[in-house]
Amino acid sequence: MKKLVLGNWKMYKTFSDIQGFCMEFNALLKKDKLFNKANIVVGIAPTYVGIIPFGSCNKTPTLTMAQNVNAEVNGAYTGEISFNMLKELNVKTVLVGHSEVRSHLNESDSVINKKVLTLLKEGMTPVLCVGETLQEFEANKTIEVLNQQLHSDLANIDLSNVENLVIAYEPIWAIGTGKTATNDIIEKTFVEIKKILKTILGSNIDKVSLLYGGSVNDKNAPEILRVKNVDGVLVGGASLDAKKFYSIIKSVPEYSQAKVK
């Protein structure tokens, strides 16, 4: 299974900002003789208006992703984007259920579930984000919350499509706060996530990639990426900086392994 390093730009970067990032990132990867040998998938999720500019100026193998998508195929949904629109732009990987979308847009598990099922049916990759609040964490309800979210968000999933599914554990109390779950917490939580997924996916669990997100940066990424069961990271603020994001990519164990070959 390939390691994933995915960046989420949230509501950042203008057209000129994107061009500047691409110029720097393109130059970094152009000089890198190991990246194409490494078993790594890299992706960036700009805002909707940044998808075309990023796709145009990006000269690397980095995937262009989307931060969200509407659950419906079409209809009177002003301000929304459908999966068909994304596919025409060659966007096939979409963040679903991010905590900020759940809270700010009041997105329910039933809507998130519909998005996951539709994306998988269309051969696209949903990156399903799950995680608990600080209050829930301090009340020792992490596993209870994750159990509820995963069972609801993956209800009625077609097991023949799960190879395209990615799960990102993002403890809400560690997003944009500078706080990061300790490696011990991450490891223990991922063990529990795998137990929950086993009840939902059965033996297909080995086809699903598990990511950690929550104040991931170029300093803590090397240790996080070595935690058992962590298949990659979902990066927020650090992905806005080309050099920091590139540093995270190089910290993936598969990168150094490629160097030996």
Side-chain angles (χ1 to χ4, degrees):
M1 183 179 292
K2 291 190 175 185
K3 279 287 195 294
L4 280 68
V5 179
L6 309 181
N8 176 21
W9 283 354
K10 303 188 180 185
M11 202 169 71
Y12 291 102
K13 293 219 181 273
T14 62
F15 180 79
S16 58
D17 292 333
I18 292 172
Q19 286 186 312
F21 176 93
C22 285
M23 287 180 63
E24 188 172 8
F25 197 58
N26 290 344
L28 289 169
L29 285 188
K30 184 177 181 180
K31 295 185 293 184
D32 192 320
K33 305 298 183 182
L34 302 173
F35 178 75
N36 290 328
K37 298 179 182 179
N39 200 28
I40 305 172
V41 173
V42 176
I44 288 286
T47 61
Y48 286 140
V49 295
I51 287 175
I52 293 178
F54 181 77
S56 298
C57 70
N58 172 39
K59 305 303 179 184
T60 75
T62 301
L63 301 176
T64 305
M65 309 180 344
Q67 296 178 8
N68 203 358
V69 68
N70 191 274
E72 303 298 332
V73 176
N74 50 51
Y77 299 98
T78 299
E80 294 292 296
I81 302 292
S82 74
F83 67 88
N84 279 330
M85 295 174 181
L86 294 177
K87 287 174 74 174
E88 282 196 347
L89 298 177
N90 199 34
V91 175
K92 298 180 180 178
T93 303
V94 184
L95 302 183
V96 178
H98 191 281
S99 62
E100 290 160 359
V101 176
R102 290 179 188 260
S103 60
H104 300 329
L105 302 182
N106 299 315
E107 196 164 86
S108 67
D109 284 309
S110 61
V111 171
I112 293 168
N113 174 240
K114 188 171 184 178
K115 292 182 180 183
V116 169
L117 299 185
T118 301
L119 289 166
L120 289 175
K121 182 180 178 181
E122 294 299 318
M124 301 173 74
T125 297
V127 180
L128 173 62
C129 302
V130 296
E132 79 282 15
T133 64
L134 178 60
Q135 184 178 14
E136 291 164 338
F137 173 72
E138 292 179 338
N140 295 315
K141 292 185 177 181
T142 296
I143 307 309
E144 178 184 336
V145 171
L146 294 176
N147 185 66
Q148 181 274 318
Q149 289 179 334
L150 288 169
H151 273 90
S152 298
D153 298 343
L154 298 177
N156 303 310
I157 191 170
D158 182 352
L159 296 180
S160 66
N161 287 330
V162 296
E163 69 275 3
N164 288 332
L165 176 65
V166 176
I167 306 290
Y169 169 57
E170 287 195 302
I172 298 172
W173 50 271
I175 299 177
T177 63
K179 297 180 179 179
T180 306
T182 65
N183 291 343
D184 185 55
I185 290 175
I186 296 172
E187 182 170 351
K188 289 179 178 178
T189 305
F190 271 56
V191 168
E192 295 301 321
I193 289 175
K194 295 206 78 166
K195 288 180 182 177
I196 297 169
L197 290 175
K198 180 73 174 179
T199 67
I200 302 170
L201 307 175
S203 60
N204 292 285
I205 186 175
D206 293 331
K207 300 177 182 178
V208 178
S209 296
L210 303 181
L211 312 185
Y212 172 78
S215 295
V216 176
N217 56 51
D218 54 321
K219 306 298 185 208
N220 59 33
E223 291 301 318
I224 293 173
L225 285 162
R226 285 170 173 77
V227 174
K228 185 178 180 182
N229 293 319
V230 173
D231 299 314
V233 287
L234 179 56
V235 186
S239 67
L240 296 167
D241 185 296
K243 289 181 180 177
K244 290 182 179 179
F245 192 55
Y246 179 57
S247 179
I248 293 173
I249 294 170
K250 291 196 297 180
S251 70
V252 176
E254 279 73 3
Y255 184 90
S256 58
Q257 291 167 9
K259 187 175 183 178
V260 175
K261 295 178 182 177

